[in-house]
Structures are given as C-alpha cells and as structure tokens.
Amino acid sequence: MATRALPKDFVSTAHHWFAVDELAPGVWRLAEPGHVCSWLVEGDDRAALIDTGCGIAPIRPVVESLTSRPVLVVNTHHHFDHVGGNHEWDEIAIHELGAPGLEEPVPRPLLRHYLDYARAMVASFDRYRALDGRFFHLLERQHDVRPLPTRVERGEWEIKPSRATQLLRDGDLVDLGGRDLRVWHTPGHSRDCISLELAAERLLFGGDTVNTGPVYAQLPDSDLAEFTASLQRLAGMAGHFDRVFCSHFMRTEVSPSFLRVQVEAFRGVRDGLEELRPAVDCVGTNVREAVFDGFSILVAAEED
C-alpha cells in the first residue's frame, strides 16, 4: 500500500470525527455519527475496508491505527457518502456496474445540499441529547454527532474520483486470509448495490440495501421492484445470519428478522397498498414517504 502524505491538521481531525467500536474479533465499525458507517474486517493476510465514508475527515489514519495488514477497499456501491475516502487507498473493489460511477466527479451542488442537512443535524443534536439525558437514556457514544471540521465549513469538502482495481460479481469471495467476504448483488437502491456476508461467521453488512430510518428508493438509479426482490433474497437467507449491520442513521445493527419486516413493507409500497406522504430527503429533494414501525421508505415524487 503506497503511503500518501496528508496535512497534520487533516489527520488529527480523523480521530475526533469517527466513533470506533469493535463488534467482533477483527471486525470494527467506523461510524461518522448521523451520517454513515464504514466497516473494517481483518484477515490473516489483509483487511477489507467496507466503504470509506463521506470524506469529511480522512479514514486512513483511523484504519491504520487498528490494523497493520494491507487494506482492500470494498465499496457497497458508488454513491458519494460511501466512497469519500477511496482516494486514500490504492486497491478498490466494487461491483462491475459501479466502477464507472467512481470515476465521475461528485457535483458540488449535491455536496452543498448535503452540508445544509448536516449543519441542521448538528444544530439540533444538543437539544436532542439534552432531552435524551432527561427522559429517554438511549444515546451511546457512537451516536454523538460531531461538529463539522473547519475545513469543511470553509467549503473545502470534495469527493475525489477514484478507480476500481477489482470488479465484483454476485457470488464472488473476497479472500482476506482465514476469512472471506461473500458478495451478494442486491440492486434497488442503486444498480450496483451489494451486501457482504462474512462467510461462516453469520454476519451481514447490508450496505444501503438494509437500513433503519428512511430507506432511499427514490434516487434516479433506484428501482423499487429490484429493491423488493433483493430484500426478499436476503430475507430468504435470514437463518444464515445472527447480526445484520446497516450503514445509516443511529441504529446500525438489526436482527435478521428485520429483513422479513422490511421486505413486507417494500411489497406493500411496490403494490400501491401503503399511504405515501410528502417528504424531503437529505439533499432537499421532494419525495414521498411510507412510514412503518422503526423505518420508512422514500420513493420519487409524482411527476406533474
């Protein structure tokens, strides 16, 4: 792995931005609380970094504080909030349908809209934490929303293009030495979405196919029917998993039974059986939302 120099103030920001938890031996959650999670899985020969986050702070210094193994980035899909740190690494694997998306620059207006959302979340969190401390007592350290770094507030946040060095397909095994990640192609949120099973260890990393909070099925590259089929596939394998990890919002682990709940909700939305209310997504796009117990599903707004 090539060494790439980063400014000292940039590196120091990393350890304040991420909340790190070891979930199982050699498996860590690298959370950007309120934004997205990445996951580090260490084998005997190398480690896999499942997604690289928003790029708001560098992820490499945090990873290198946890493992000395060579690192392969494995992207669950090409969207900006999962590939922000890709440029810090040399070896990148993604489903073959997502590789072209890595090489495209992320439009600055998209990042500006997301920063509006992020600033609103930061501004709201102190009040939320105070209410939790008085009444509810649910928040943990991994939930503490961090203030945005100064360089981001100065408008210096960008997602640099990257290039895949390995193309993945359904059923592939990513060999880490002594443990493998199995690739399941689970399109719906985007065409290239994958979920990753830590083979023989009963762990599933759902990418953006399995999520709490609003599940995004409203994007230009989303497909509601494919999303439903992908969740049906994972729900059919629920007996193979003990723990399922989600990328977004505050609840980033669910039980395998959640897969069956979510696929039933998607079927209802797909078949037009659920009430849809107006809503707005994290980049300010008008959408429609079907609300369920513990999550919701976003679909595109009706065309005029």
Side-chain angles (χ1 to χ4, degrees):
M1 182 176 64
T3 300
R4 301 182 183 184
L6 295 169
K8 289 183 179 180
D9 61 338
F10 192 50
V11 171
S12 65
T13 300
H15 295 281
H16 297 288
W17 180 252
F18 291 92
V20 178
D21 299 278
E22 188 170 17
L23 303 173
V27 179
W28 293 270
R29 172 178 50 206
L30 283 62
E32 300 175 66
H35 302 279
V36 71
C37 292
S38 303
W39 317 89
L40 181 65
V41 181
E42 184 182 58
D44 293 334
D45 300 329
R46 62 177 176 170
L49 177 59
I50 302 172
D51 290 332
T52 61
C54 291
I56 287 174
I59 196 168
R60 195 189 80 198
V62 180
V63 171
E64 290 182 345
S65 73
L66 299 171
T67 182
S68 60
R69 304 286 196 271
V71 173
L72 170 70
V73 168
V74 182
N75 289 134
T76 60
H77 59 301
H78 72 279
H79 288 166
F80 78 91
D81 51 334
H82 294 256
V83 305
N86 273 26
H87 67 279
E88 300 175 50
W89 307 96
D90 298 314
E91 301 296 324
I92 299 170
I94 193 169
H95 190 273
E96 57 187 349
L97 294 176
L102 292 183
E103 301 178 25
E104 295 293 325
V106 176
R108 286 196 173 273
L110 178 66
L111 298 183
R112 286 198 297 270
H113 286 308
Y114 186 80
L115 277 180
D116 289 341
Y117 169 84
R119 291 180 180 118
M121 178 167 52
V122 171
S124 301
F125 186 70
D126 283 347
R127 175 63 174 158
Y128 177 60
R129 180 166 46 197
L131 290 170
D132 180 79
R134 183 177 182 188
F135 297 112
F136 309 117
H137 311 287
L138 293 173
L139 290 175
E140 300 174 3
R141 183 178 63 86
Q142 59 164 306
H143 301 137
D144 286 344
V145 173
R146 277 72 165 148
L148 293 167
T150 301
R151 52 173 292 276
V152 173
E153 290 287 16
R154 289 198 305 257
E156 297 176 12
W157 180 38
E158 62 176 334
I159 307 294
K160 296 179 181 178
S162 56
R163 185 181 298 271
T165 58
Q166 180 179 345
L167 301 182
L168 301 174
R169 298 174 179 83
D170 187 64
D172 282 353
L173 286 177
V174 178
D175 181 5
L176 304 178
R179 58 194 342 178
D180 298 314
L181 288 169
R182 187 181 302 277
V183 176
W184 299 114
H185 185 209
T186 51
H189 173 71
S190 66
R191 295 176 62 239
D192 63 320
C193 270
I194 60 172
S195 301
L196 294 158
E197 176 188 3
L198 187 53
E201 298 184 50
R202 302 183 63 82
L203 305 182
L204 179 70
F205 302 91
D208 272 5
T209 302
V210 185
N211 257 311
T212 60
V215 182
Y216 278 30
Q218 85 285 10
L219 303 173
D221 54 346
S222 299
D223 186 292
L224 190 63
E226 284 192 338
F227 215 143
T228 306
S230 292
L231 281 166
Q232 174 64 50
R233 185 185 192 193
L234 292 178
M237 296 188 286
H240 297 171
F241 314 128
D242 290 329
R243 305 173 73 183
V244 178
F245 300 116
C246 312
S247 293
H248 290 286
F249 309 110
M250 296 301 197
R251 188 162 51 114
T252 58
E253 181 177 346
V254 294
S255 70
S257 62
F258 184 77
L259 297 169
R260 298 188 180 95
V261 172
Q262 203 150 74
V263 73
E264 288 301 321
F266 263 83
R267 284 175 179 156
V269 175
R270 178 199 62 188
D271 296 341
L273 303 178
E274 300 293 341
E275 180 180 353
L276 297 170
R277 69 182 189 186
V280 178
D281 69 14
C282 70
V283 292
T285 303
N286 291 323
V287 297
R288 294 174 294 160
E289 181 178 33
V291 180
F292 302 92
D293 188 13
F295 67 98
S296 66
I297 298 171
L298 301 187
V299 298
E302 292 182 303
E303 296 183 3
D304 294 333

